[in-house]
Amino acid sequence: MTEITRDRPDAGGHFGAYGGRYVPETLVPALEELEAAFEAARQDPTFQHELAEIERDFAGRPTPVYHAERLSSELGGAQIWLKREDLLHTGAHKINNTLGQILLARRMGKQRIIAETGAGQHGVATATVCARYGLPCVVYMGEEDMRRQALNVFRMKLLGAEVVSVTSGSRTLKDATSEAIRDWVTNVRDTFYIIGSVVGPHPYPWMVREFQSVIGQEAREQMQGRLGKLPNLLVACVGGGSNAIGLFHAFLEDEGVVIHGVEGGGHGIDSGAHSATLGQGEPGVLHGAMSYLLQDAEGQVQIAHSVSAGLDYPGVGPEHAWLQDTGRVHYASVTDEEALTALQRTCLTEGILPALESAHAIAHVIRVAPEMRPDQSILVCLSGRGDKDVHTVAEHVKLDG
Amino acid sequence: MTRIAKAFEKTRAEGRPALIPFLTGGFPTLESTVPLILAAEAAGADLLEIGLPFSDPLADGPAIQLSSQRAIENGATLKWILEQVREVRKTSQLPLILMGYLNPMLRYGLDRFVHDAVQAGVDGMIVPDMLPEESADVVAASREHGLSNVFLMAPTTSEERIRKIDALSTEITYAVALTGVTGARGDLPADIEDYLARVRKNTEKPFVVGFGISAPEHVARLKGKTDGCVIGSAIVKQLDGTSGDEATRRLTEFLTSLRSS
């Protein structure tokens, strides 16, 4: 047994009591093959070079950190900095991961790509890299999410992907993920499953974190360059938790840096309609890993709710479960309404339309920034842009004139 | 000798694979579960699998997913299913094997669940999302309370791993017939004989085959190549939309057709 460190899980893929592999036996050789291929790729300078080059030329890395001066001054507290993942190609941090995984799929000689998607951002990012590398792509998406995110469904189809409507269960990300896993069990020999977050069986939570941790590595260097010091607080939204772990990971050893993850509080925690898995869930097994889980007294998985399709998931990455238990990261939640308000405020003060997911992080900042001093700083992961959410926002927000 | 061991001693002596129907507990109705189990025994079932409903059954195709969802809506819980087993045990010695996903068992409390299952009269347990690597707690509880662990093998499983799974299983193992989820299919995989020969060569304990077995000709083709055939989705489909006597009649007819194969 290898030791669990903040660098990597143990040999079985555990972060403390969480993670591991809880899958049908059929997938064991595929997961072992994937783990070995990733292990080799991450130590291969050619692979790393190829990934860095495509991230730069195709995705638009590095992304800037931006000082949100007007928002900071309105709130009258800490200086707010945004890590602009919203500026990436396809509009969110998801592309960091899909580029890494598609290069791995090519290296492994896989001929077919599948993915699940909630908000559609991961689906678009997967369809995009499949088009770029000429591989067929099937995306599983809940029927309810297809309705909420019709624009992204069309984008995926434009990119040549087949979008399969999932009508089982809650018809959202949870069920789309189950269906993608069933496809993989069936077509495991030639198919590569590009999971979109730090969830699923080992090695996915670790591998996806490694592909996303470029966010924090860049930001850490950029903040030191701009301020000559590290930020006092990091904030990111948490659905499955990939943008959050991507930002947090490079700072975990920096003990002076306080870290907050923000979950979807939906209609409010007391309403029961939320997606605050870490705050309100109990440990359990879903989609191949042990982690916190929204579940009822019988161990049936509960339906999550969030106005943001990307946060609407009853599970969460196992590393976040571990970071919560060890106390390194504090997880809070904000309601749908607070997120919608934060989205509008970011538009008005900064001229930036954040994704509803990212607006949850900003809503939390609106709460905590006034309690901090102006010489302190908060670094927020602006994980995606809100173009995809305009329709949803219009359903909730009345504008004058 | 355990009920499971006795069942295989009998079917091996008779030179045929054991007939193992699968029923989702609480499907199609709560009231039908005990009569269906007893009807299965009367129609010649040698062992029986009882599915524990779960909201997210990863290894299952549409038929069993739907039966699971219905059973949850009907109010079937683990505790309730163990009560049905207790009821069956008043009159029946049919070996009963639970097939259920890990999370509801964790929620119940693993050790307590295994204890209560054995007390109710359950003989064995299959957990399709639990690999040997993550099974230490379940195996320890099962050894302590006397429950038979049945681990799964798949066509993708290496010979070395088949031997490991055979060693870890208590009395029997389970060979998943195909790469895929449960569900009735027209044909068995073309290479199933090679696969089952590989399993036979690397196992010492009896093994059963399941996933996709849905017709008398499938059972006939597997004769001599396995110790038992599990039939699930095809039965669940027969029972969908039925209740009471209609459900037991459908099950009896279907099992009779399989037995005559």
Side-chain angles (χ1 to χ4, degrees):
Chain A
M1 293 277 279
T2 49
E3 199 189 343
I4 310 158
T5 66
R6 281 179 182 158
D7 258 356
R8 60 183 299 167
D10 76 8
H14 302 98
F15 299 91
Y18 307 105
R21 264 179 200 157
Y22 296 86
V23 292
E25 177 65 30
T26 311
L27 293 179
V28 168
L31 290 167
E32 286 174 351
E33 182 195 4
L34 177 61
E35 184 183 354
F38 175 62
E39 187 69 70
R42 66 197 286 268
Q43 291 168 27
D44 177 355
T46 312
F47 180 87
Q48 292 301 336
H49 177 77
E50 193 183 0
L51 180 58
E53 198 170 67
I54 196 78
E55 281 180 343
R56 183 193 66 207
D57 297 347
F58 185 71
R61 298 216 74 88
T63 59
V65 290
Y66 165 74
H67 185 195
E69 288 180 67
R70 289 194 66 214
L71 184 61
S72 305
S73 109
E74 268 196 22
L75 293 171
Q79 301 308 306
I80 298 158
W81 292 76
L82 306 177
K83 177 62 173 167
R84 298 292 307 274
E85 295 297 294
D86 62 314
L87 295 178
L88 285 171
H89 180 38
T90 71
H93 70 290
K94 296 291 187 186
I95 194 88
N96 302 327
N97 172 46
T98 58
L99 280 173
Q101 290 200 50
I102 197 100
L103 292 187
L104 200 55
R106 278 161 53 87
R107 194 181 160 101
M108 293 170 73
K110 299 292 179 183
Q111 299 299 316
R112 175 176 176 266
I113 303 295
I114 59 170
E116 84 296 337
T117 197
Q121 290 304 100
H122 174 60
V124 167
T126 305
T128 298
V129 298
C130 287
R132 166 67 182 75
Y133 289 101
L135 286 170
C137 176
V138 177
V139 179
Y140 289 91
M141 188 168 188
E143 194 182 45
E144 171 66 12
D145 289 336
M146 286 179 74
R147 187 189 63 76
R148 290 195 284 192
Q149 303 288 343
L151 179 66
N152 272 341
V153 173
F154 189 70
R155 284 172 78 190
M156 285 184 267
K157 289 179 179 170
L158 270 179
L159 291 158
E162 179 191 344
V163 183
V164 179
S165 166
V166 176
T167 56
S168 57
S170 62
R171 303 168 184 222
T172 63
L173 177 57
K174 165 177 90 82
D175 309 282
T177 306
S178 296
E179 212 49 42
I181 293 173
R182 292 185 186 113
D183 178 314
W184 200 31
V185 171
T186 306
N187 302 296
V188 62
R189 290 189 172 99
D190 70 340
T191 296
F192 190 104
Y193 178 19
I194 299 190
I195 292 186
S197 192
V198 284
V199 300
H202 179 60
Y204 282 103
W206 169 53
M207 178 174 74
V208 176
R209 182 200 76 195
E210 291 294 289
F211 288 137
Q212 290 293 0
S213 58
V214 65
I215 300 172
Q217 286 158 11
E218 276 178 18
R220 194 172 186 283
E221 203 168 299
Q222 288 166 323
M223 292 302 284
Q224 266 173 329
R226 298 289 286 271
L227 300 178
K229 59 181 180 182
L230 295 176
N232 300 86
L233 173 66
L234 306 180
V235 180
C237 65
V238 178
S242 72
N243 91 87
I245 207 80
L247 176 68
F248 299 166
H249 192 254
F251 296 88
L252 289 177
E253 303 294 332
D254 299 316
E255 286 177 12
V257 179
V258 175
I259 307 181
H260 290 175
V262 186
E263 298 191 291
H267 298 319
I269 296 301
D270 295 340
S271 73
H274 58 76
S275 52
T277 308
L278 288 159
Q280 301 297 314
E282 300 278 348
V285 170
L286 177 70
H287 294 150
M290 175 84 72
S291 187
Y292 279 77
L293 186 57
L294 294 177
Q295 53 184 314
D296 67 15
E298 298 298 328
Q300 307 297 352
V301 180
Q302 285 185 315
I303 293 170
H305 166 79
S306 173
V307 69
S308 143
L311 301 185
D312 199 350
Y313 182 63
V316 67
E319 191 169 4
H320 285 292
W322 182 60
L323 290 171
Q324 168 163 277
D325 281 12
T326 57
R328 179 64 187 98
V329 178
H330 170 71
Y331 295 88
S333 66
V334 304
T335 63
D336 289 351
E337 204 180 320
E338 290 173 292
L340 286 160
T341 304
L343 177 142
Q344 292 172 79
R345 191 157 181 179
T346 314
C347 284
L348 291 172
T349 56
E350 297 294 343
I352 293 171
L353 170 59
L356 272 170
E357 291 78 10
S358 323
H360 282 70
I362 295 169
H364 182 72
V365 167
I366 290 172
R367 242 191 239 160
V368 300
E371 295 160 16
M372 294 170 66
R373 296 190 313 269
D375 64 332
Q376 293 184 307
S377 61
I378 303 174
L379 175 63
V380 189
C381 189
L382 191 66
S383 55
R385 71 180 83 128
D387 305 44
K388 70 184 171 61
D389 294 316
V390 169
H391 185 73
T392 306
V393 175
E395 283 177 7
H396 290 86
V397 175
K398 289 238 185 316
L399 298 178
D400 297 331
Chain B
M1 191 184 276
T2 67
R3 281 186 285 257
I4 291 176
K6 266 188 218 164
F8 283 101
E9 194 181 62
K10 175 167 176 272
T11 56
R12 279 187 160 180
E14 292 172 11
R16 62 178 179 87
L19 179 62
I20 312 170
F22 168 99
L23 297 168
T24 300
F27 173 86
T29 62
L30 293 182
E31 298 71 30
S32 64
T33 296
V34 170
L36 281 172
I37 295 171
L38 296 175
E41 184 178 27
D46 297 296
L47 297 87
L48 188 110
E49 260 186 44
I50 304 174
L52 306 178
F54 181 48
S55 53
D56 298 80
L58 278 188
D60 287 301
I64 293 180
Q65 280 177 47
L66 189 71
S67 73
S68 200
Q69 202 173 323
R70 292 268 172 75
I72 293 169
E73 287 162 9
N74 290 342
T77 62
L78 267 52
K79 183 167 173 282
W80 179 86
I81 287 170
L82 295 186
E83 285 164 12
Q84 310 315 298
V85 170
R86 207 174 276 281
E87 188 62 30
V88 168
R89 275 285 169 258
K90 288 179 181 169
T91 58
S92 166
Q93 291 303 309
L94 181 67
L96 299 173
I97 297 175
L98 301 179
M99 176 141 176
Y101 293 82
L102 193 55
N103 198 59
M105 298 177 194
L106 290 171
R107 193 72 181 158
Y108 191 107
L110 271 184
D111 188 73
R112 196 162 68 85
F113 179 67
V114 170
H115 171 269
D116 291 357
V118 171
Q119 290 300 310
V122 170
D123 299 288
M125 187 159 82
I126 305 167
V127 186
D129 60 347
M130 183 182 73
L131 299 175
E133 289 83 351
E134 302 285 359
S135 70
D137 292 348
V138 168
V139 168
S142 302
R143 299 285 191 267
E144 186 187 338
H145 301 299
L147 187 70
S148 192
N149 294 128
V150 184
F151 284 91
L152 299 153
M153 302 166 283
T156 53
T157 309
S158 68
E159 297 198 18
E160 184 193 350
R161 199 171 161 89
I162 291 174
R163 291 193 290 275
K164 182 174 152 188
I165 288 165
D166 181 56
L168 191 62
S169 296
T170 315
E171 294 173 285
I172 58 169
T173 54
Y174 187 130
V176 174
L178 41 81
T179 54
V181 294
T182 59
R185 279 130 171 118
D187 295 311
L188 296 174
D191 56 357
I192 193 161
E193 283 84 4
D194 293 346
Y195 163 50
L196 296 183
R198 196 162 72 242
V199 172
R200 179 67 82 201
K201 195 181 90 185
N202 290 285
T203 52
E204 290 173 3
K205 294 169 182 136
F207 72 89
V208 302
V209 183
F211 285 43
I213 303 175
S214 50
E217 57 270 29
H218 297 165
V219 176
R221 183 170 157 194
L222 293 170
K223 200 171 173 181
K225 300 175 184 76
T226 176
D227 299 296
C229 295
V230 181
I231 298 100
S233 298
I235 289 174
V236 164
K237 275 188 180 170
Q238 290 287 330
L239 300 178
D240 191 18
T242 68
S243 62
D245 292 346
E246 166 77 358
T248 46
R249 187 180 60 74
R250 289 264 196 108
L251 179 68
T252 302
E253 281 175 11
F254 187 67
L255 291 181
T256 306
S257 76
L258 290 173
R259 280 216 72 186
S260 62
S261 60

